[in-house]
Amino acid sequence: MRRLLALHAVLVYAFLYLPLLVILALSFNTSRRGVRFTGFTLDWYRALFQDPRILEYLMNTLLVALSSTLVSTLLGTLLALGLVRYRFSLSAFLRYLLYVPVVVPDVVMGVSLLLLFAFSRELLGFPRLSLFTVVLGHITFQLPFVALVVRSRLLLLDPGLEEAARDLGATGWKTFWYVTFPLVWPGVLAGALLALTLSLDDFVVTFFTAGPGATTLPLYIYSSVKLGVSPKVHALSTLLILASALLLLLGRVFLRRR
Amino acid sequence: MNEAATPWLRFLRLLVTVVPGAVWLVLFVLLPTLLVLYASFLQRGPYGELTGPPGLGNYLRLLDPLYLEVFLRSLALGALTTLGALLLGLPLAFYIARHPRKDLLLFLLVLPFLTNFLIRVYAWLVLLQREGVVNALLGLFHLGPWELYPSYWAVLLATVYTYLPFFVLPVYASVERIDWQLLEAAYDLGATPRRGFWHAVLPQVYPGLFAGAVLVFIPAMGTFVISDLLGAGRVVLIGNLIQQQFGLVRDWAFGAALSVVLMAFVLLFLYVYARIQGERGLEELV
């Protein structure tokens, strides 16, 4: 039985890694078409670095990811604090609202934001679809994940610690700053990392909320796949695979040290 | 100062913590959802704009067998993807949970999942195409080449691939919490290993299995990218219809009605899930 389970696991891991290895191999392949390996080359990487548009798309992607993560982490953390600390009449409703972006298929989320922006443009004259609307969309799907991650961390806190600080004469603000926040910080960081990866990975919401000139890397990859791929995309994909592996590795090392 | 939680201060704290996030959710989650609902009752104007009078026309159009077939195909994809994830993921979750280096195995499970979603889907296109890797391997056994892409099965393979970690992680969390003494108790009472597994072990994993099923079924049923790339126009799901209405066809009202139906499926599914798991079940989904 154990042997069978081990064999199964090996096969599943092979299934998980085979596609990525194929892309990796193709990025060094001299052949433009097909998957027969005809020789080793770095030409596609050279072509990638010489294409000025790629740099622009990369900057767009990073701009969207960083700004949306910043806002959603701030709003999400505050929301989690408020939801855990205070009982108020609408809190149950807010909690349900928080789950909507988590469970709704992203295509529905994309078109509903598109509709919102269209109605708003008709009534108020803004916003035009651009990188700005993409950022608004990303914050919207990141916010619940940050809030829920921070909230679960807050719920694990020992309330005794805060009471002890209060008993020793700390003000509410001091208690928060010296006791609560340092304990919640890993949760905030984990939420921010999750938000960042969600934004970097997103295609669907970006697809519906991006205007002309607001191309991100996922949008570029999609259009190249639809138009027939140039091997540059293999090189780009390989670099992105390595970047995400590095990010995960860093996150692991960093979180373990705590 | 200690006990100074006056109503005024309390209000100020609520204002700073909850209100910004709450306003955001109302503006960008609640309002758009209501707008979709509203638009679904409107019609397409001559220039592709939304226009009145409101009516049920879009919903009546959905009763066409053509669209019912699309709904069934989407639901079947969700169900088959869940089945595939179950067959691959359940044994894997047990293997990881009982492995001495489970940290590493979990890391290796999540790693491909962090790679950009489009790249992972595209990789299957490379593998399955006529001159692709799978056909090359089949050629070694003097089989094929087969037309693996574009097809419904290619789409299914990619949805299983894409959403497998969503299934394994909650199941793994349940397997971790298993109380193995129950299995020993079952043995003491004379159970065979098979009966012990079915009656003493598996029921303890149900919460993880249900959570995993929800996390796989919903995105697989609602996808449009995977069916777009690996079905190449031949595999039409609800998501593809919605994308077409908001894209080329430019019938936003009909697209909105399709979105409402897709959301209704999701809510129905979540309702069943919440009935089985209780409200706590929702929290296990994140």
Side-chain angles (χ1 to χ4, degrees):
Chain A
M1 196 60 208
R2 280 212 78 83
R3 283 247 178 103
L4 222 57
L5 270 184
L7 179 67
H8 176 89
V10 169
L11 289 177
V12 174
Y13 277 103
F15 172 67
L16 286 177
Y17 280 89
L18 179 68
L20 301 184
L21 292 177
V22 167
I23 297 281
L24 206 90
L26 285 184
S27 76
F28 297 110
N29 191 1
T30 44
S31 159
R32 278 194 80 87
R33 284 191 52 77
V35 291
R36 202 167 294 279
F37 201 81
T38 48
F40 181 88
T41 179
L42 287 174
D43 282 356
W44 313 125
Y45 288 90
R46 207 166 294 134
L48 186 71
F49 288 122
Q50 281 166 358
D51 187 341
R53 291 174 313 162
I54 300 285
L55 189 67
E56 183 199 326
Y57 303 155
L58 177 68
M59 293 315 276
N60 285 346
T61 310
L62 290 177
L63 187 71
V64 168
L66 292 176
S67 52
S68 61
T69 301
L70 203 67
V71 178
S72 65
T73 304
L74 188 69
L75 291 181
T77 304
L78 288 174
L79 187 61
L81 275 169
L83 280 176
V84 171
R85 285 301 140 83
Y86 311 111
R87 295 265 143 252
F88 49 95
S89 41
L90 285 177
S91 59
F93 173 71
L94 264 187
R95 275 210 309 278
Y96 278 115
L97 208 53
L98 216 46
Y99 283 109
V100 173
V102 178
V103 294
V104 146
D106 39 15
V107 62
V108 172
M109 185 149 176
V111 300
S112 60
L113 284 166
L114 177 60
L115 262 177
L116 174 78
F117 296 142
F119 272 103
S120 155
R121 206 164 48 243
E122 195 127 308
L123 291 172
L124 310 169
F126 74 94
R128 292 231 322 269
L129 293 184
S130 60
L131 275 186
F132 177 64
T133 45
V134 174
V135 171
L136 293 181
H138 281 214
I139 295 170
T140 306
F141 65 69
Q142 292 168 327
L143 176 66
F145 283 97
V146 176
L148 291 167
V149 168
V150 176
R151 179 167 167 260
S152 66
R153 178 92 196 173
L154 276 168
L155 290 174
L156 288 176
L157 282 192
D158 177 4
L161 290 171
E162 289 185 351
E163 280 166 30
R166 292 296 193 109
D167 287 345
L168 292 171
T171 59
W173 181 246
K174 269 193 161 166
T175 308
F176 174 76
W177 209 233
Y178 289 104
V179 177
T180 315
F181 192 70
L183 289 171
V184 179
W185 176 239
V188 176
L189 209 66
L193 263 179
L194 182 61
L196 190 72
T197 22
L198 286 174
S199 170
L200 290 174
D201 198 38
D202 178 71
F203 165 71
V204 177
V205 172
T206 313
F207 178 71
F208 285 105
T209 53
T215 307
T216 60
L217 284 179
L219 290 184
Y220 167 72
I221 295 173
Y222 179 75
S223 64
S224 353
V225 172
K226 289 293 273 187
L227 296 173
V229 173
S230 105
K232 264 194 298 193
V233 171
H234 298 145
L236 177 64
S237 305
T238 302
L239 291 179
L240 289 177
I241 292 171
L242 293 179
S244 60
L246 202 67
L247 202 70
L248 187 64
L249 213 60
L250 278 178
R252 220 167 100 92
V253 170
F254 188 72
L255 287 175
R256 179 175 283 178
R257 213 185 293 148
R258 298 189 158 261
Chain B
M1 187 62 205
N2 259 358
E3 300 303 318
T6 59
W8 168 240
L9 198 63
R10 201 185 114 86
F11 174 73
L12 202 70
R13 282 181 181 157
L14 260 183
L15 199 70
V16 174
T17 56
V18 175
V19 171
V23 168
W24 193 283
L25 289 175
V26 168
L27 269 183
F28 292 102
V29 177
L30 183 63
L31 186 61
T33 310
L34 295 176
L35 284 175
V36 169
L37 200 61
Y38 169 64
S40 73
F41 294 108
L42 298 178
Q43 301 166 26
R44 179 190 192 277
Y47 305 106
E49 76 278 19
L50 289 164
T51 168
L56 286 171
N58 294 317
Y59 292 97
L60 293 177
R61 248 175 94 187
L62 288 176
L63 296 176
D64 188 315
L66 195 72
Y67 295 119
L68 293 180
E69 199 182 306
V70 173
F71 293 152
L72 279 181
R73 192 179 298 133
S74 307
L75 290 172
L77 184 69
L80 288 172
T81 307
T82 311
L83 184 69
L86 178 75
L87 291 178
L88 293 184
L90 182 62
L92 186 68
F94 271 94
Y95 181 75
I96 294 178
R98 314 202 66 185
H99 196 277
R101 303 216 53 195
K102 49 187 160 191
D103 259 24
L104 181 69
L105 289 184
L106 281 177
F107 177 75
L108 289 176
L109 177 76
V110 180
L111 184 60
F113 174 61
L114 276 193
T115 306
N116 190 284
F117 161 67
L118 283 171
I119 296 173
R120 279 175 286 148
V121 178
Y122 165 65
W124 278 105
L125 199 157
V126 173
L127 282 161
L128 294 175
Q129 62 187 302
R130 203 181 162 80
E131 315 87 40
V133 177
V134 174
N135 267 326
L137 286 176
L138 285 172
L140 295 180
F141 301 100
H142 302 287
L143 291 170
W146 290 337
E147 289 290 335
L148 303 163
Y149 154 86
S151 71
Y152 189 76
W153 304 110
V155 175
L156 176 63
L157 195 64
T159 49
V160 172
Y161 181 80
T162 307
Y163 300 119
L164 185 62
F166 286 146
F167 188 84
V168 178
L169 291 176
V171 175
Y172 162 82
S174 277
V175 173
E176 272 268 89
R177 289 198 293 258
I178 286 180
D179 179 1
W180 292 99
Q181 285 184 341
L182 283 181
L183 183 65
E184 281 167 32
Y187 285 156
D188 288 346
L189 292 171
T192 59
R194 181 184 298 256
R195 277 182 63 109
F197 176 76
W198 279 103
H199 295 283
V201 177
L202 200 59
Q204 298 190 62
V205 189
Y206 285 164
L209 286 177
F210 289 135
V214 168
L215 290 175
V216 169
F217 188 96
I218 290 176
M221 172 189 68
T223 186
F224 91 86
V225 180
I226 297 176
S227 44
D228 186 31
L229 294 183
L230 290 175
R234 289 194 219 167
V235 181
V236 180
L237 304 178
I238 308 180
N240 301 93
L241 282 184
I242 294 175
Q243 193 248 323
Q244 285 163 17
Q245 306 306 312
F246 280 87
L248 280 178
V249 181
R250 218 182 148 73
D251 187 346
W252 288 22
F254 189 55
L258 286 162
S259 306
V260 171
V261 172
L262 182 54
M263 271 198 282
F265 280 132
V266 171
L267 286 179
L268 185 73
F269 203 64
L270 282 176
Y271 176 73
V272 173
Y273 172 74
R275 281 304 290 267
I276 297 173
Q277 299 258 65
E279 209 203 315
R280 280 206 59 77
L282 280 178
E283 291 180 14
E284 305 227 334
L285 289 182
V286 179

